[in-house]
Amino acid sequence: MSSLPLAPTPPMGWNSWNTFGHNINEELIKGIADKFTELGLKDAGYEYVVIDDCWSERERGADGRLVPDKNKFPNGIKPVADYVHSKGLKFGIYSCAGTHTCAGFPGSFEHEYVDAATFAEWGVDYLKYDYCYKPVHVAGENLYKRMGMALRSCGRDIVFSACNWGVDDVYNWIRESGAQLYRSTGDIRDNWQSIKHIALSQLDKQCYSGTYCWNDMDMLVVGMCGKGDNAEVIDGMGKLAGCTDTEYKTHFALWAMMNSPLMIGCDIRRASEEALNILKNPDVIAINQDPEGRGPFCIRQWNNPDNVFALIKPLCGGDYAIGMYNLSDNPSEMSLQFFDIGLPTASGLALEFYNCHTKENEGKFTERRSVRVEPHDCYMYRCKVVKA
């Protein structure tokens, strides 16, 4: 095992659940790994290829170990992990703190150490650890600490992705469990309402996220466009899944600014050029991967505080990231007063704004910056403090 700590910045990769659900197999995972290189995702920083639920048989083997589904993974899991590694990528898998996974397959409850050893033997680099079917009278905090210790003693570096959905006061104990990231929300859906709800629910939780233990706001839905085995039909109103490119851009900008791991959930083999441009934007990714790992603070627009706000994040080297977001259904002004972020006019200084989406330098501003933000849209800037 390496002596270096894991996940110094939010992990980046791909997860099978959002699009494929239980329809996973060896060829799919190998094909996704191939596309990481072909599409430039590896060069953009994405490195984990993660199999979610439904990869195993319904029962453990006679030796008590998990058994890969013989139809989906006829050669087992290790050859798949080896193939992913051959592409210069890392491999992830899924289990659960309960007796069963959310889809009813064997969980790791009271099998933590043998499962951690099995994953290490297979070459696993990342474990997503869910929270379904946990015995009622067993503390989830203890179960995550148990798997955390099992992974740390298994002989291999394995990133621990805790997924307890933000319940049981997880913010107060997750860092000490040894987890490198923790899910703080319910499952995301491929619609604007879900993106908005999750983002707003985590605005006051940024103080709990930081280097080596990241607040995971769930996988990205960028590029799904209402397609996949897990596309949602909700409220009895027909299929409401899918977002516009503008909404996907804002989704990605929020997750990046709020230090969430960037785990792609779409079928990258069929992703549009616009979706790939959003996912590979180097300026937005750099803000997410900033080595200081500082969370942003929020300044709300005075006349629409529930939907329009700016996020301000100090970056390594003295720059600041500033995002301006309009989550409402109508155009709105976002007026950011520099006094409110620590830069009074009396300082004789200004902010120089570089637009991370247009790649243009928009000049220096003193005292305030006001922009009109279209519905569900955003601006994302990298700013320097300069002489006025």
Side-chain angles (χ1 to χ4, degrees):
M1 297 178 68
S2 172
S3 61
L4 297 175
L6 300 177
T9 58
M12 297 173 61
W14 176 91
N15 180 289
S16 62
W17 184 255
N18 279 1
T19 294
F20 296 100
H22 63 88
N23 290 325
I24 52 176
N25 57 56
E26 178 177 332
E27 292 309 311
L28 168 67
I29 303 306
K30 289 181 176 180
I32 292 294
D34 291 340
K35 283 295 182 180
F36 261 59
T37 302
E38 292 176 25
L39 297 173
L41 291 167
K42 179 177 180 290
D43 290 341
Y46 296 92
E47 60 176 341
Y48 293 98
V49 177
V50 181
I51 299 174
D52 210 282
D53 204 350
C54 311
W55 60 267
S56 75
E57 294 285 353
R58 291 284 180 178
E59 301 292 339
R60 289 177 177 267
D63 59 359
R65 295 197 169 217
L66 293 165
V67 179
D69 185 298
K70 294 179 178 60
N71 294 315
K72 296 176 180 178
F73 299 96
N75 299 302
I77 296 297
K78 189 176 189 308
V80 181
D82 290 345
Y83 187 86
V84 171
H85 293 151
S86 75
K87 298 292 181 178
L89 302 168
K90 295 179 181 178
F91 176 74
I93 207 165
Y94 168 101
S95 190
C96 189
T99 60
H100 293 79
T101 71
C102 298
F105 295 86
S108 290
F109 178 69
E110 295 194 333
H111 294 85
E112 291 87 357
Y113 285 83
V114 69
D115 287 357
T118 299
F119 298 148
E121 291 169 11
W122 289 347
V124 169
D125 305 296
Y126 180 111
L127 174 66
K128 177 181 173 181
Y129 203 53
D130 223 332
Y131 205 43
C132 288
Y133 300 107
K134 177 190 75 70
V136 174
H137 299 296
V138 178
E141 175 181 350
N142 181 261
L143 294 182
Y144 280 97
K145 289 177 177 176
R146 190 186 299 178
M147 181 53 87
M149 185 174 287
L151 292 174
R152 286 171 179 264
S153 60
C154 74
R156 183 178 178 83
D157 289 331
I158 299 179
V159 168
F160 186 19
S161 171
C163 182
N164 93 322
W165 324 315
V167 302
D168 296 341
D169 298 319
V170 64
Y171 304 98
N172 293 322
W173 52 260
I174 192 62
R175 180 172 286 272
E176 65 213 46
S177 76
Q180 279 79 33
L181 59 154
Y182 62 97
R183 265 280 296 285
S184 54
T185 72
D187 287 358
I188 195 170
R189 298 289 185 259
D190 183 21
N191 62 65
W192 174 248
Q193 293 80 7
S194 178
I195 293 168
K196 177 179 177 179
H197 171 76
I198 288 175
L200 292 177
S201 76
Q202 296 305 302
L203 283 179
D204 63 347
K205 302 293 194 299
Q206 294 304 293
C207 60
Y208 298 104
S209 180
T211 306
Y212 310 125
C213 191
W214 305 100
N215 182 341
D216 178 6
M217 292 158 53
D218 205 3
M219 286 89 73
L220 298 163
V221 295
V222 175
M224 285 186 66
C225 301
K227 298 176 182 177
D229 301 315
N230 276 347
E232 293 297 316
V233 178
I234 59 175
D235 297 334
M237 300 294 290
K239 185 168 287 188
L240 300 180
C243 298
T244 66
D245 287 334
T246 294
E247 290 167 344
Y248 286 140
K249 179 187 81 171
T250 300
H251 166 36
F252 191 70
L254 282 165
W255 265 233
M257 178 68 85
M258 296 169 76
N259 291 333
S260 181
L262 301 178
M263 303 297 290
I264 299 169
C266 73
D267 183 351
I268 59 173
R269 303 169 305 175
R270 297 176 174 83
S272 68
E273 183 177 354
E274 181 59 30
L276 290 171
N277 287 339
I278 292 170
L279 292 168
K280 295 192 296 181
N281 187 314
D283 295 312
V284 178
I285 290 173
I287 289 170
N288 177 261
Q289 296 288 298
D290 187 76
E292 285 197 20
R294 298 187 182 276
F297 62 92
C298 182
I299 301 292
R300 296 178 183 271
Q301 176 65 15
W302 66 272
N303 60 352
N304 196 353
D306 293 334
N307 293 289
V308 182
F309 53 88
L311 295 177
I312 299 90
K313 175 180 174 179
L315 301 174
C316 182
D319 287 357
Y320 280 79
I322 296 179
M324 298 182 178
Y325 305 91
N326 177 10
L327 307 190
S328 75
D329 297 332
N330 299 299
S332 179
E333 175 192 42
M334 177 61 223
S335 179
L336 182 63
Q337 314 303 308
F338 295 171
F339 183 90
D340 290 333
I341 66 173
L343 191 67
T345 305
S347 68
L349 299 173
L351 281 178
E352 186 174 69
F353 280 70
Y354 168 80
N355 189 314
C356 295
H357 290 120
T358 66
K359 314 300 182 186
E360 296 175 348
N361 190 325
E362 297 184 359
K364 296 191 294 186
F365 295 81
T366 58
E367 194 168 7
R368 69 192 286 262
R369 178 79 197 272
S370 180
V371 297
R372 174 188 166 94
V373 190
E374 295 300 313
H376 306 181
D377 205 351
C378 70
Y379 289 92
M380 196 145 177
Y381 298 104
R382 191 178 187 104
C383 299
K384 293 182 180 296
V385 180
V386 296
K387 290 184 178 180

